[in-house]
Amino acid sequence: MKHFVVLLSATLTTIAAFKATSQNLTAVSCTISKYNADDILSAQNECDEIIIESINVPAGVTLDLTHLKTGSKLVFKGTIQWEYEEWTGPLMRIKGTNVEVIGSDGHVLDGRGHLWWDGQGGNGGKTKPKFLYASVVNSMIHKLNIKNTPVQAFSVNGCKDSIIQYITIDDKDGDSKGGHNTDAFNVNSSDNVTIKHCTIHNQDDCMAMNSGYNTFFTDNYCSGGHGISIGSVGNGAEVKGVKVTNCQVVDSDIGVRIKTRSGETGSVSDVLYENIELKNIHKYGIDIQGDYGPNDGKPTDGVPITDFTLKNIYGTVDTGGANIYVVVANAADWHWSDIKITGGEKKVNCTGIPPGTGVSC
Ligand SMILES: *[C@@H]1O[C@H](CO)[C@@H](O)[C@H](O)[C@H]1NC(C)=O
Ligand SMILES: *[C@@H]1O[C@H](CO)[C@@H](O)[C@H](O)[C@H]1NC(C)=O
Ligand SMILES: *[C@@H]1O[C@H](CO)[C@@H](O)[C@H](O)[C@H]1NC(C)=O
Ligand SMILES: *[C@@H]1O[C@H](CO)[C@@H](O)[C@H](O)[C@H]1NC(C)=O
């Protein structure tokens, strides 16, 4: 059982705290209910539990939660929102070891993306801030309700041995208001991160693993976007150990995807996608391409895709799309079974599938 005590501090004007029934005066809970960078920093240094409640973060400022005490808890309550400015962000950073980050019922982290959306995402138009960079170790981030991110939502950046679960990323408004490149999860330089029980509606990758080891993406629902992806991989990056299981991808351009870049180096290995349901996929049910980048159509051998298993991938592609599309070079050790994707009638080029894979397209 945790005990809480009132912390009296001149700088922490917004503190509300509980007093424990016993005399154990060790753990401190602090509430931040108005944005003040100094208060937010001292709360991280001094408090075992920080509640961030209904604040407006000023324009051009990162809500900086990178000084969380080891073992502390961070709670979001009410509506947290960010003022508008053209900049690259991120709007929020979280860093810590052994921390728990949780959203309480009814809270929302509102990026107010519609103020930036112009249909161009990261490719032009307004400069748009990324939403969240998280770098946690041995931690749990859960029950966050993220809404309307200007561009990429959740960057899993240098995380280790952590669980991210029950996250909602709702960028649905972007469908009609010009949301673009609103990737849900980008995973980078991380090891042993589990992302599960998440519900996503966006306009780009549901997950994109760009580098690192052992990502477990499980029991997630992806809609509106570009599917569950590895890459694009190049520039020397290594992706090893990706297990995507028990997910649904609906109303999306692509279902399952690996992209590696033509003319570059790197590697993708030890990949499993199993029990993936696809529904109303517009372009490709399965899309494995080694020709990503300006050299479209010309895969090179610098980023081999090896030890790649697909098992029980099923569902429907629109008539104008293709069920399976593969353009790779230097691939080996693929094991595909129970691929039951129907509907796509587009004729595509399939090149580089290793012999004995058990599938053709
Ligand atoms: C107070 O709580 C801390 C942490 O929960 C514990 O380690 C410590 O033994 C407790 N002290 C007393 C006097 O109960
Ligand atoms: C990848 O993560 C590291 C932190 O481990 C960070 O410094 C770097 O900028 C990230 N790269 C990208 C492309 O996000
Ligand atoms: C991976 O992380 C989980 C916690 O998320 C931990 O329980 C597990 O021991 C870690 N696995 C390894 C091999 O370190
Ligand atoms: C199919 O791919 C091969 C290898 O990249 C290429 O040489 C060929 O032109 C392609 N054919 C079509 C019809 O796109």
Side-chain angles (χ1 to χ4, degrees), residues 175 200-204 222-227 250-253 282:
D175 287 352
I200 289 133
H201 190 111
N202 68 344
Q203 295 82 27
D204 208 312
C222 301
S223 63
H226 296 175
V250 308
D251 301 324
S252 296
D253 277 359
H282 312 314

Side-chain angles (χ1 to χ4, degrees), residues 93-164:
R93 275 184 195 271
I94 295 174
K95 187 171 182 185
T97 297
N98 254 320
V99 295
E100 179 187 2
V101 178
I102 186 170
S104 59
D105 284 354
H107 84 286
V108 59
L109 304 171
D110 189 353
R112 305 201 304 161
H114 63 281
L115 298 172
W116 286 268
W117 291 335
D118 54 12
Q120 300 190 61
N123 302 323
K126 290 175 176 163
T127 304
K128 302 168 187 76
K130 295 184 180 184
F131 187 73
L132 166 64
Y133 285 10
S135 310
V136 295
V137 175
N138 232 325
S139 295
M140 163 94 81
I141 300 180
H142 58 154
K143 300 185 182 165
L144 300 185
N145 297 326
I146 296 172
K147 195 173 164 64
N148 292 353
T149 64
V151 63
Q152 288 89 349
F154 196 136
S155 229
V156 175
N157 234 324
C159 291
K160 201 168 179 314
D161 301 333
S162 292
I163 296 177
I164 296 169

Side-chain angles (χ1 to χ4, degrees), residues 336-351:
W336 294 16
S337 59
D338 297 315
I339 312 293
K340 292 162 289 192
I341 305 174
T342 58
E345 290 180 0
K346 187 178 174 183
K347 292 274 164 278
V348 290
N349 199 346
C350 258
T351 47

